[in-house]
């Protein structure tokens, strides 16, 4: 992933966060995946009055990627946190992908694929798919 792709990926996740439908938790999340076709696919969380029906931002981004015809992820950015709060004051600051989304991401990624976790203010953590989900379930191996 180039520096330019990384910057565009982060911007796409932050922009997607603005569109989130987080009526119940009030915690907006945006995600974006960079695919091997060079496109960046964004998604946001979409909640529901029947709470378990809500979907994570990562799920939306992966659905958009599949719809676009891509099948391989080269990079992931996830944006959470509150725009009006500085990270050091914000206990919700780290929008680390949930367990289910780690498995969703791993389905389309090598272990070395970078995952960048950001707030509206700054980059919080740069890690990899393999670090987030070691020994991932995989039917092919
Ligand atoms: N959420 C995501 O969109 N991605 C994650 O990886 C963690 C959680 C959403 C789900 C719910 O709408 C809100 O954040 C609060 O849990």
């Amino acid at each position: 992933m180039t520096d330019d792709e990384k910057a565009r990926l982060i911007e796409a996740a932050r922009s997607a966060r603005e569109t989130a439908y987080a009526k119940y938790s009030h915690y907006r999340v945006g995600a974006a995946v960079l695919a091997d076709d060079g496109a960046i696919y964004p998604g946001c969380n979409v909640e529901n009055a029947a709470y378990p029906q809500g979907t994570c931002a990562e799920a939306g981004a992966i659905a958009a990627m599949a719809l676009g015809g891509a099948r391989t992820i080269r990079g992931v950015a996830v944006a959470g946190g509150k725009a009006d709060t500085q990270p050091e004051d914000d206990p919700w600051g780290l929008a680390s992908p949930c367990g289910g989304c780690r498995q969703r991401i791993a389905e389309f990624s090598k272990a070395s694929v970078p995952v960048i976790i950001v707030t509206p203010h700054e980059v919080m953590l740069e890690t990899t798919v393999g670090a987030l989900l070691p020994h991932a379930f995989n039917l092919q191996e």
Side-chain angles (χ1 to χ4, degrees):
M1 188 162 61
T2 66
D3 285 349
D4 178 63
E5 286 173 329
K6 180 176 163 181
R8 289 192 294 116
L9 192 62
I10 291 171
E11 180 49 38
R14 285 179 169 148
S15 180
R17 179 186 163 280
E18 297 296 319
T19 69
Y21 179 77
K23 186 174 177 180
Y24 304 100
S25 74
H26 306 291
Y27 188 75
R28 287 180 290 150
V29 185
V33 296
L34 170 67
D36 63 344
D37 62 357
I40 289 173
Y41 296 97
C44 64
N45 57 331
V46 180
E47 298 185 347
N48 193 278
Y51 299 161
Q53 303 307 321
T55 50
C56 287
E58 297 90 332
I62 289 170
M65 181 188 78
L67 185 63
R71 292 288 185 267
T72 303
I73 293 174
R74 285 175 43 214
V76 181
V78 182
K82 295 173 185 166
D84 57 352
T85 309
Q86 293 301 313
E88 59 268 23
D89 303 323
D90 185 357
W92 293 82
L94 192 65
S96 189
C98 75
C101 285
R102 294 176 193 208
Q103 184 69 38
R104 285 191 173 100
I105 293 165
E107 179 80 16
F108 301 99
S109 306
K110 291 181 180 163
S112 59
V113 164
V115 179
I116 304 157
I117 298 168
V118 306
T119 67
H121 308 287
E122 63 185 62
V123 174
M124 301 290 284
L125 180 67
E126 297 194 50
T127 184
T128 64
V129 171
L132 287 175
L133 188 64
H135 314 294
F137 177 70
N138 185 339
L139 282 174
Q140 274 107 56
E141 290 176 9

